[in-house]
Amino acid sequence: MASSKKDHIAQGALRAFAQYGFSETSMDSIAEMAQVAKGTLYYHFSTKEELFLYVIEKGVNMLIYHVDTAMQKDELSLEDRMMNVLDEHLRFFSENQELCFLLLSFFTGDEQRDQMVGKLLTGYFTTMETYMIDLQKQGYIRADAEIRTVASALFGMIGFTVLRKQFRKEPVNSEVGRNTLKYLLAGILQTK
């Protein structure tokens, strides 16, 4: 029961942080968004910073899990595996709009907090880079491609595409949009 209440509070906090930004979000606004008493909020999280880091860590771990699951489908061809990764990013970002916004604009102005968030995102990038290095060693990704840049570009390309489509109230996962992202991704792949 405690973890479900904690997760419920985290969902309210996520909405508040996405709507107001870190600096303008107060514990009062989080309690209001989560529809919990302030005492309940403080029972689970002693500070706004602790709650912010919990929200980001939970979201990044969820993204890592879903992307890692998509990458592990070894029975599929390389193109199909890469499309699974692309599709999983599209699905994840479209279903988690507030989290997508926070991950793509996490700089809060506090150097220590920003470094903590950066470290949390490192888990995602490590997962992606490990997968892509293996594909590069197998000859599926161009040898002259810098993997860190590829992983960052994939994250940004899909994340910002989803954000822009959401802002413009366009369908996020349209076939033409998906194919366009596929064409961009194809530039780093090699046929063996």
Side-chain angles (χ1 to χ4, degrees):
M1 182 78 173
S3 69
S4 65
K5 180 61 81 175
K6 194 172 184 174
D7 290 341
H8 176 77
I9 291 168
Q11 280 299 98
L14 175 61
R15 286 191 306 277
F17 289 131
Q19 184 173 341
Y20 305 120
F22 180 84
S23 298
E24 299 301 315
T25 299
S26 66
M27 289 296 264
D28 286 341
S29 62
I30 293 169
E32 187 177 316
M33 285 275 194
Q35 298 180 333
V36 297
K38 278 178 44 176
T40 303
L41 176 63
Y42 281 106
Y43 174 78
H44 292 284
F45 300 98
S46 58
T47 65
K48 176 174 76 167
E49 186 167 287
E50 176 188 344
L51 179 50
F52 179 77
L53 293 175
Y54 180 83
V55 166
I56 296 293
E57 181 175 26
K58 184 173 174 52
V60 169
N61 287 339
M62 199 168 52
L63 176 59
I64 290 169
Y65 171 79
H66 289 289
V67 170
D68 190 50
T69 300
M71 289 187 295
Q72 299 305 320
K73 299 190 177 180
D74 293 334
E75 71 278 2
L76 299 176
S77 69
L78 167 70
E79 183 176 353
D80 288 342
R81 280 188 283 160
M82 291 305 287
M83 289 313 299
N84 272 353
V85 170
L86 178 74
D87 287 340
E88 191 53 39
H89 278 85
L90 282 169
R91 186 201 62 73
F92 183 85
F93 283 142
S94 63
E95 291 177 5
N96 299 281
Q97 296 175 22
E98 293 98 350
L99 179 64
C100 178
F101 178 76
L102 281 182
L103 291 177
L104 292 169
S105 62
F106 72 84
F107 293 106
T108 64
D110 178 275
E111 186 177 341
Q112 186 176 3
R113 185 181 316 110
D114 292 345
Q115 286 178 356
M116 296 271 301
V117 173
K119 286 180 184 174
L120 293 173
L121 279 170
T122 298
Y124 162 82
F125 287 111
T126 300
T127 299
M128 290 301 297
E129 290 163 10
T130 300
Y131 176 66
M132 290 178 175
I133 286 168
D134 186 46
L135 290 176
Q136 192 175 47
K137 286 178 182 174
Q138 294 176 41
Y140 291 115
I141 292 181
R142 294 173 51 114
D144 60 348
E146 181 187 42
I147 295 301
R148 283 186 173 172
T149 301
V150 173
S152 298
L154 179 68
F155 181 79
M157 175 178 73
I158 297 170
F160 281 110
T161 298
V162 168
L163 279 180
R164 185 161 189 245
K165 285 180 178 284
Q166 290 169 348
F167 178 74
R168 296 170 62 120
K169 303 204 183 324
E170 298 172 356
V172 170
N173 207 353
S174 69
E175 191 65 27
V176 69
R178 182 178 178 267
N179 284 339
T180 301
L181 291 170
K182 178 181 170 183
Y183 303 144
L184 293 169
L185 187 60
I188 63 157
L189 301 178
Q190 296 188 144
T191 54
K192 284 183 81 172

